[in-house]
Amino acid sequence: MSRAGFVRRGLGIVGAVALALTATACAPAGIGDVEAPPQADAALGDDTQAQLTAAVERAMASTGSGGAIVGVWVPWAGEWVQAFGSNPDGSAVSEDDTFKAGTVTRAMTCDVLFGLAADGVVEVDDPVTDWVNGFPDAPVVTLGDLCDGTSGVGRYQPPLQARWETNPTRPWTPHELVAYGLAAGAPSADRVYGESDTGYVLLGLALERASGRTAADLFDTYVFSPLEMTASSLPGRSVDLGLHGTQSVLTAEGAVDCATATDLTALSTSAGFTSSGVVTDAADLGRYARALATGLRPYDDESRFASPLPVAEGVPNWYTVRGGTYQAGTLVGQYGSVPGYQTVAFADRDSGLTVVAVLNNSRASAEAVRVLGWQLAAIASKAPATAGETAPPAGLPWTPEQMDGDLASVAICPLP
């Protein structure tokens, strides 16, 4: 079985080898055997692979990406993990290459919150001020609000983007990031969803304070180790990455130069911390997405996704947000962009169908990688079953063709 494989029929994760964590006070209650939904031991059919390949190549062209890695796991039909293109130095991209998970980190930070809550260390409704000194007392913002993205706190990336591009290796402390975010927007009592990288950095700081442990240690205990995500980590500053991250340059007139890109791989992971600082690979990210959506961990609780909020005004009622994740029909996951990378990871809470993808150019809107992820899911949902398996009814509220149109609307480079 390739490392990209998930779980074969009737077996636990990684060839039925259950992970027994050392029984110490640092281990989360109840984590021992982690069982995953069964996965057909087969490659996806040639026609399905051809459709998936065409979707990836179109997304790469639309964003100016020179490289990409994609994984698709269909429990009733098989799997497909593929690397595309090359890095700026000419080296070929490999399916085992590591990359920045970007905003998928936010779902993991919420995992730690719910894990610590299950262990009695914190309450989801704890005010942030219980654990973070200097945060405004009013309006009251809870740890759950930070996880849900409803704190109203501003974003630190916009004011820091230019500095990251000119001095990518400069390390950043979480408190510096929070200071820029609070300067960009104060907490609000409105309780509506709003993009906030600062909120997840604050949540990470609060969980460190409450537990007396580093965020890296918490991620390993509650996220990485239970799922044997051996390629994943929350590094403090910088780490070597197989897939290089880039960003297309702008011409003097402000147009995108799709033929020229700046290499931003060296951007310190400290600029992301518990908002976007995780490093991973496709196999790990796929395993994670499926566990998140199907509720494999002992601390997974349906209340995390209850009473979902609209992502924005005017979006379909099946597209919502809660618990550090987006919900799209029966899919649960995350997507977004950090300098150099666009990343998406979704899985179906009912069937376990899983898609992950990373594009190595961050100039375009992150909606491009979201569209790619949803298109991959729509294609995969119609994959014919292998012998002895039964395909569930296709139930996603969009088609691959609709996603083609959505991709064209956000493309910054010519489409094939």
Side-chain angles (χ1 to χ4, degrees), residues 132-186:
V132 179
N133 295 329
F135 190 78
D137 292 321
V140 174
V141 173
T142 68
L143 301 184
D145 292 331
L146 296 179
C147 172
D148 290 334
T150 57
S151 68
V153 174
R155 299 176 59 209
Y156 66 77
Q157 179 169 341
L160 290 178
Q161 179 77 29
R163 297 183 65 179
W164 291 342
E165 293 174 10
T166 57
N167 188 14
T169 60
R170 188 247 208 228
W172 296 86
T173 68
H175 291 89
E176 287 178 300
L177 304 177
V178 168
Y180 277 95
L182 289 175

Side-chain angles (χ1 to χ4, degrees), residues 50-123:
Q51 293 179 60
L52 296 170
T53 297
V56 176
E57 291 176 343
R58 184 173 167 84
M60 290 175 66
S62 75
T63 58
S65 297
I69 306 171
V70 178
V72 178
W73 294 267
V74 186
W76 63 90
E79 64 183 61
W80 180 75
V81 181
Q82 187 67 46
F84 294 81
S86 60
N87 287 312
D89 62 4
S91 60
V93 178
S94 165
E95 66 183 44
D96 295 323
D97 280 347
T98 52
F99 52 85
K100 292 178 181 177
T103 54
V104 182
T105 304
R106 299 174 183 182
M108 298 176 182
T109 303
C110 292
D111 290 340
V112 175
L113 168 62
F114 282 89
L116 287 173
D119 286 345
V121 178
V122 299
E123 296 287 344

